[in-house]
Amino acid sequence: LPCYHTYCEECLVKLQRDSTITCSKCNKSAAVPAGKGAKDFPINFFYQRIVDELALNRKLKSGERIDCNLCVNKRKASSWCFDCCEALCNNCRESHKEAVKSSEHDVKSFEDIKSNNTQIKIIRTVQCDEPG
């Protein structure tokens, strides 16, 4: 919200009254963006990264399936690239190790990550096309 408080989409929809949302933390009102409504508020990428990290580590710990982030087939991932912050299936891991730009990346199997009790961190760089 413009007041910098963060809510999930479901809660924003619940807070919406006509064309405004009133923040339950500070009581400031904000106009709902035209179009999709509450869904059009900007994403808090810092918060989303934490949510994604927690979900990924929970899946890893429980043995729940994690899909490959690179292949269109969404094969079962078996590794994590700590440089790209991507889950990789066996095929994509091999391609990743052979590619010039990613051959030196720190890629670990999920088994190694679990056995070393390592937490996966998702670090995404902000890329902006606007100068300045």
Side-chain angles (χ1 to χ4, degrees), residues 68-73 75 78-79 81 84 86-105 107:
C68 179
N69 294 126
L70 298 185
C71 67
V72 294
N73 299 325
R75 292 184 191 99
S78 59
S79 306
C81 177
C84 295
E86 301 286 357
L88 308 171
C89 66
N90 290 333
N91 290 352
C92 290
R93 177 186 175 140
E94 291 307 311
S95 298
H96 207 64
K97 288 172 19 182
E98 292 176 9
V100 172
K101 292 191 176 194
S102 58
S103 63
E104 299 294 319
H105 283 190
V107 178

Side-chain angles (χ1 to χ4, degrees), residues 114-126:
K114 284 172 28 177
S115 68
N116 291 325
N117 210 18
T118 304
Q119 290 287 307
I120 292 176
K121 298 285 184 194
I122 299 173
I123 301 167
R124 296 183 181 114
T125 57
V126 176

